Amino acid sequence: MTQPPEITYSDSLLADGTVHRRYSDGRNEWRSRNPDGRIHWRDDRGDSGTDERLGRDLVKRSHTDGRTGYGRDIGYGRTVWGQGRYVLVNRSSFPGRLGVVLGALGLGAGIAAAQYAPELLSFDEEEELRRAAERARARGDGGDGGGDDGGDGDGDGSDDGFDDGFDSDDGFGTAGDGGDDHPGNGDAWDGDDFG
């Protein structure tokens, strides 16, 4: 097991319903959810694009200049990007003592290669993941969102008792829950919408 570099972030819900994300490397990002469930983002360095949940635990980040990358939610607010280039860690998910306890347990101790996101998915592979996730949502079972080669996504998968206007247990950005409702269905941001 190796330990990729870690970048932490925290989210703040703004009055207009968007989210301001602050990264430990100094970046700032503003995020809003589209009715189709994708997250549109722009940062303070002139970059922008969309984040999209693929299946249970994969996230696809598309930049407006055509670049794409994939991340895998490995639970507890952690997302491994690419082949272990870095791990995003959501500090909004585990404030106070809970964060200290989880840190002491060494949840960041090592990332196995099996937890890495794929470098590339074909159009057909992405479509199958989207269809599987949609089937799981339609069944209401939260299922695994289907067949992406094992692993998790970018959420904590638990109700951490932290009420910051986000719903950290609503299924969007939480490993194993199969996705989120759309805004028209009473959806709320969770603490790590597409880490």
Side-chain angles (χ1 to χ4, degrees):
M1 288 189 166
T2 61
Q3 181 57 41
E6 209 174 81
I7 300 171
T8 62
Y9 69 89
S10 61
D11 288 336
S12 302
L13 185 62
L14 303 177
D16 65 359
T18 62
V19 169
H20 179 205
R21 179 168 286 181
R22 292 174 182 88
Y23 292 94
S24 60
D25 65 2
R27 283 181 300 133
N28 287 281
E29 193 172 88
W30 292 269
R31 303 166 66 80
S32 61
R33 187 177 310 200
N34 224 20
D36 65 6
R38 288 183 291 165
I39 303 295
H40 291 276
W41 57 269
R42 63 178 174 78
D43 67 21
D44 59 354
R45 298 178 183 179
D47 202 2
S48 62
T50 58
D51 289 349
E52 176 185 11
R53 172 73 65 190
L54 295 176
R56 169 181 159 180
D57 60 358
L58 289 181
V59 177
K60 177 182 181 182
R61 175 161 273 217
S62 301
H63 299 258
T64 53
D65 65 6
R67 293 176 292 134
T68 60
Y70 299 93
R72 183 179 303 282
D73 175 353
I74 60 171
Y76 297 101
R78 300 174 304 151
T79 305
V80 178
W81 284 90
Q83 298 293 294
R85 284 191 309 274
Y86 60 94
V87 178
L88 285 183
V89 179
N90 180 358
R91 293 295 179 211
S92 302
S93 291
F94 301 105
R97 281 190 234 216
L98 182 57
V100 171
V101 169
L102 291 173
L105 291 174
L107 291 175
I111 306 295
Q115 294 174 304
Y116 292 170
E119 279 294 318
L120 184 63
L121 290 172
S122 71
F123 176 80
D124 291 337
E125 290 169 322
E126 286 185 9
E127 282 301 306
E128 177 53 33
L129 289 170
R130 289 180 188 107
R131 285 191 299 272
E134 190 57 41
R135 288 190 302 268
R137 278 191 296 275
R139 285 191 310 263
D141 66 4
D144 72 355
D148 65 310
D149 78 1
D152 305 341
D154 74 351
D156 61 20
S158 66
D159 182 3
D160 55 29
F162 181 56
D163 184 11
D164 62 353
F166 297 84
D167 181 358
S168 63
D169 202 29
D170 73 349
F172 191 91
T174 303
D177 58 20
D180 226 8
D181 288 334
H182 297 292
N185 297 334
D187 183 37
W189 283 89
D190 67 17
D192 54 333
D193 275 318
F194 296 154

Short mmCIF file of all heavy atoms in Angstrom, two decimals, residues 10 14 19 35-36 44 51-52 56 74 86-88 93 97 105 112 120 123 127 129 134 191:
data_model
loop_
_atom_site.label_atom_id
_atom_site.label_comp_id
_atom_site.label_asym_id
_atom_site.label_seq_id
_atom_site.Cartn_x
_atom_site.Cartn_y
_atom_site.Cartn_z
N SER A 10 -13.09 21.75 2.47
CA SER A 10 -14.31 21.94 3.25
C SER A 10 -15.30 22.72 2.40
O SER A 10 -14.91 23.53 1.56
CB SER A 10 -14.02 22.66 4.57
OG SER A 10 -13.48 23.93 4.32
N LEU A 14 -23.87 28.31 0.34
CA LEU A 14 -24.11 29.74 0.19
C LEU A 14 -25.61 30.02 0.12
O LEU A 14 -26.41 29.12 -0.15
CB LEU A 14 -23.40 30.26 -1.06
CG LEU A 14 -21.89 30.01 -1.11
CD1 LEU A 14 -21.31 30.50 -2.42
CD2 LEU A 14 -21.19 30.65 0.08
N VAL A 19 -22.42 25.94 -3.57
CA VAL A 19 -21.44 25.57 -2.55
C VAL A 19 -20.10 26.20 -2.88
O VAL A 19 -19.67 26.21 -4.03
CB VAL A 19 -21.30 24.03 -2.48
CG1 VAL A 19 -20.12 23.61 -1.64
CG2 VAL A 19 -22.58 23.42 -1.93
N PRO A 35 -30.21 19.99 -12.81
CA PRO A 35 -31.35 19.08 -12.62
C PRO A 35 -31.03 17.62 -13.00
O PRO A 35 -31.65 16.71 -12.47
CB PRO A 35 -32.43 19.65 -13.54
CG PRO A 35 -32.09 21.10 -13.64
CD PRO A 35 -30.58 21.16 -13.61
N ASP A 36 -30.06 17.41 -13.88
CA ASP A 36 -29.71 16.03 -14.26
C ASP A 36 -28.79 15.35 -13.25
O ASP A 36 -28.38 14.21 -13.43
CB ASP A 36 -29.08 15.99 -15.65
CG ASP A 36 -27.74 16.69 -15.74
OD1 ASP A 36 -27.20 17.14 -14.71
OD2 ASP A 36 -27.20 16.78 -16.87
N ASP A 44 -11.12 29.48 -8.98
CA ASP A 44 -10.53 30.81 -8.99
C ASP A 44 -9.27 30.88 -9.87
O ASP A 44 -8.59 31.89 -9.88
CB ASP A 44 -10.22 31.27 -7.58
CG ASP A 44 -9.27 30.35 -6.83
OD1 ASP A 44 -8.93 29.27 -7.35
OD2 ASP A 44 -8.88 30.71 -5.70
N ASP A 51 -18.73 17.58 -12.74
CA ASP A 51 -18.47 16.32 -12.06
C ASP A 51 -19.73 15.49 -12.17
O ASP A 51 -20.84 16.01 -11.98
CB ASP A 51 -18.16 16.54 -10.58
CG ASP A 51 -16.79 17.18 -10.34
OD1 ASP A 51 -15.99 17.28 -11.29
OD2 ASP A 51 -16.54 17.59 -9.19
N GLU A 52 -19.56 14.21 -12.48
CA GLU A 52 -20.70 13.33 -12.66
C GLU A 52 -20.46 12.02 -11.94
O GLU A 52 -19.41 11.40 -12.08
CB GLU A 52 -20.91 13.06 -14.16
CG GLU A 52 -22.00 12.09 -14.47
CD GLU A 52 -22.09 11.76 -15.95
OE1 GLU A 52 -21.19 12.12 -16.71
OE2 GLU A 52 -23.09 11.12 -16.32
N ARG A 56 -21.75 3.50 -8.40
CA ARG A 56 -21.74 3.67 -6.96
C ARG A 56 -20.59 4.51 -6.46
O ARG A 56 -20.73 5.29 -5.52
CB ARG A 56 -21.70 2.28 -6.34
CG ARG A 56 -21.44 2.26 -4.87
CD ARG A 56 -21.40 0.84 -4.42
NE ARG A 56 -20.71 0.71 -3.16
CZ ARG A 56 -20.53 -0.41 -2.56
NH1 ARG A 56 -20.98 -1.51 -3.10
NH2 ARG A 56 -19.89 -0.46 -1.42
N ILE A 74 -13.58 6.11 -1.71
CA ILE A 74 -13.15 4.97 -0.92
C ILE A 74 -13.68 5.04 0.50
O ILE A 74 -13.24 4.31 1.38
CB ILE A 74 -11.61 4.79 -0.93
CG1 ILE A 74 -10.91 6.02 -0.35
CG2 ILE A 74 -11.12 4.48 -2.34
CD1 ILE A 74 -9.42 5.82 -0.14
N TYR A 86 -3.49 11.68 -6.18
CA TYR A 86 -3.76 12.37 -4.93
C TYR A 86 -5.08 11.87 -4.36
O TYR A 86 -5.87 11.23 -5.06
CB TYR A 86 -3.78 13.89 -5.08
CG TYR A 86 -4.81 14.42 -6.05
CD1 TYR A 86 -6.06 14.81 -5.60
CD2 TYR A 86 -4.52 14.54 -7.40
CE1 TYR A 86 -7.01 15.30 -6.48
CE2 TYR A 86 -5.46 15.03 -8.29
CZ TYR A 86 -6.70 15.41 -7.82
OH TYR A 86 -7.64 15.89 -8.69
N VAL A 87 -5.31 12.16 -3.09
CA VAL A 87 -6.55 11.82 -2.41
C VAL A 87 -7.17 13.11 -1.91
O VAL A 87 -6.50 13.90 -1.24
CB VAL A 87 -6.29 10.88 -1.20
CG1 VAL A 87 -7.60 10.58 -0.47
CG2 VAL A 87 -5.63 9.61 -1.64
N LEU A 88 -8.44 13.33 -2.25
CA LEU A 88 -9.18 14.45 -1.68
C LEU A 88 -9.84 13.96 -0.40
O LEU A 88 -10.43 12.88 -0.37
CB LEU A 88 -10.27 14.94 -2.63
CG LEU A 88 -9.82 15.76 -3.83
CD1 LEU A 88 -11.03 16.22 -4.64
CD2 LEU A 88 -8.98 16.94 -3.42
N SER A 93 -17.03 16.54 6.51
CA SER A 93 -17.76 15.35 6.93
C SER A 93 -17.52 14.98 8.38
O SER A 93 -18.39 14.42 9.03
CB SER A 93 -17.36 14.15 6.07
OG SER A 93 -17.82 14.30 4.77
N ARG A 97 -14.30 16.11 17.37
CA ARG A 97 -13.75 14.87 17.93
C ARG A 97 -13.81 13.70 16.98
O ARG A 97 -12.92 12.87 16.95
CB ARG A 97 -14.47 14.51 19.21
CG ARG A 97 -14.03 15.30 20.39
CD ARG A 97 -14.62 14.67 21.60
NE ARG A 97 -15.33 15.69 22.34
CZ ARG A 97 -15.38 15.73 23.64
NH1 ARG A 97 -14.82 14.78 24.35
NH2 ARG A 97 -16.01 16.69 24.26
N LEU A 105 -7.37 6.49 13.97
CA LEU A 105 -7.52 5.12 13.49
C LEU A 105 -6.68 4.85 12.25
O LEU A 105 -6.56 3.72 11.81
CB LEU A 105 -8.99 4.82 13.18
CG LEU A 105 -9.91 4.75 14.39
CD1 LEU A 105 -11.36 4.60 13.93
CD2 LEU A 105 -9.51 3.62 15.32
N ALA A 112 -4.70 1.04 -1.41
CA ALA A 112 -4.34 -0.11 -2.25
C ALA A 112 -4.59 0.22 -3.71
O ALA A 112 -5.50 0.99 -4.05
CB ALA A 112 -5.17 -1.33 -1.84
N LEU A 120 -9.10 5.47 -17.83
CA LEU A 120 -9.98 5.76 -18.95
C LEU A 120 -11.12 4.76 -18.98
O LEU A 120 -10.92 3.58 -18.70
CB LEU A 120 -9.18 5.67 -20.26
CG LEU A 120 -9.88 6.04 -21.55
CD1 LEU A 120 -10.30 7.50 -21.53
CD2 LEU A 120 -8.96 5.78 -22.73
N PHE A 123 -16.99 5.05 -23.79
CA PHE A 123 -18.33 5.61 -23.77
C PHE A 123 -19.32 4.54 -23.32
O PHE A 123 -20.20 4.80 -22.50
CB PHE A 123 -18.71 6.15 -25.16
CG PHE A 123 -20.12 6.65 -25.23
CD1 PHE A 123 -20.44 7.91 -24.76
CD2 PHE A 123 -21.13 5.85 -25.75
CE1 PHE A 123 -21.76 8.37 -24.81
CE2 PHE A 123 -22.43 6.31 -25.81
CZ PHE A 123 -22.75 7.56 -25.34
N GLU A 127 -21.77 4.55 -20.06
CA GLU A 127 -23.21 4.43 -20.21
C GLU A 127 -23.77 3.28 -19.38
O GLU A 127 -24.84 3.41 -18.77
CB GLU A 127 -23.59 4.25 -21.69
CG GLU A 127 -23.55 5.53 -22.48
CD GLU A 127 -24.48 6.59 -21.89
OE1 GLU A 127 -25.69 6.32 -21.72
OE2 GLU A 127 -23.99 7.70 -21.60
N LEU A 129 -22.56 2.14 -16.56
CA LEU A 129 -22.55 2.60 -15.17
C LEU A 129 -23.72 3.54 -14.90
O LEU A 129 -24.36 3.46 -13.84
CB LEU A 129 -21.22 3.29 -14.84
CG LEU A 129 -20.03 2.35 -14.74
CD1 LEU A 129 -18.74 3.16 -14.66
CD2 LEU A 129 -20.16 1.44 -13.54
N GLU A 134 -29.07 4.23 -12.47
CA GLU A 134 -30.47 4.62 -12.64
C GLU A 134 -31.40 3.48 -12.23
O GLU A 134 -32.42 3.69 -11.58
CB GLU A 134 -30.73 5.05 -14.08
CG GLU A 134 -32.09 5.69 -14.29
CD GLU A 134 -32.32 6.90 -13.39
OE1 GLU A 134 -31.40 7.71 -13.21
OE2 GLU A 134 -33.44 7.03 -12.86
N GLY A 191 -22.08 16.75 2.34
CA GLY A 191 -20.80 17.34 2.68
C GLY A 191 -19.69 17.03 1.71
O GLY A 191 -18.64 17.61 1.80
#
